[in-house]
Amino acid sequence: MPIVALVIGAVLVARTLMQAGPEITITFRNAEGLESGKTEVRYKEVVIGKVTKVGLSPDRERVLVSVKLDKAVANLAVTDTRFWVVRPRIGLAGVSGLGTLFSGAYIGVDAGVVDEPEFHFTGLESPP
């Protein structure tokens, strides 16, 4: 019986690894509104990933955010893709991000067009 359980466990781990998308790192100035395991990554309001870890850079000047993307959108992790934190903002242009008052902040994505993969990004401080 232990051998059967070990085989089933190995199959489940293998399946999970095969279905997993890329893990990327995004650098921001601060982590306001970002929570590990809760904050979503959205492209055109579709959830395409989730924040897995929030930590500090070695020099403690920036915040490093690890994100696990869905396998189906792995092609979004290219050099000219842009990321930013969507949160409520009030400015001269008006009010934006009001939906985050209820759902919480999330990371927005502007897809790049270059075919060169990238796994480390610098997040924008305001939406493009």
Side-chain angles (χ1 to χ4, degrees):
M1 194 63 149
I3 294 173
V4 173
L6 183 63
V7 169
I8 291 172
V11 168
L12 291 175
V13 168
R15 179 193 281 171
T16 301
L17 291 175
M18 288 175 49
Q19 292 177 347
E23 182 147 353
I24 63 171
T25 302
I26 309 168
T27 305
F28 291 106
R29 277 196 209 154
N30 66 59
E32 179 185 351
L34 302 178
E35 292 182 60
S36 177
K38 291 185 180 179
T39 304
E40 298 173 338
V41 179
R42 298 182 191 175
Y43 176 66
K44 296 186 176 185
E45 295 303 318
V46 175
V47 177
I48 61 166
K50 191 167 268 195
V51 171
T52 58
K53 182 180 176 186
V54 178
L56 292 173
S57 63
D59 62 1
R60 299 185 311 265
E61 294 291 320
R62 313 268 300 159
V63 174
L64 301 176
V65 179
S66 296
V67 171
K68 189 70 163 176
L69 294 176
D70 296 342
K71 186 176 183 178
V73 295
N75 60 349
L76 284 178
V78 295
T79 54
D80 59 340
T81 296
R82 299 182 291 181
F83 298 89
W84 65 94
V85 178
V86 178
R87 55 175 74 99
R89 297 180 197 279
I90 300 173
L92 295 175
V95 179
S96 66
L98 285 178
T100 61
L101 289 173
F102 302 107
S103 66
Y106 63 90
I107 297 176
V109 180
D110 182 23
V113 295
V114 177
D115 286 336
E116 188 176 331
E118 181 65 48
F119 300 99
H120 300 281
F121 299 88
T122 300
L124 304 174
E125 296 305 317
S126 59

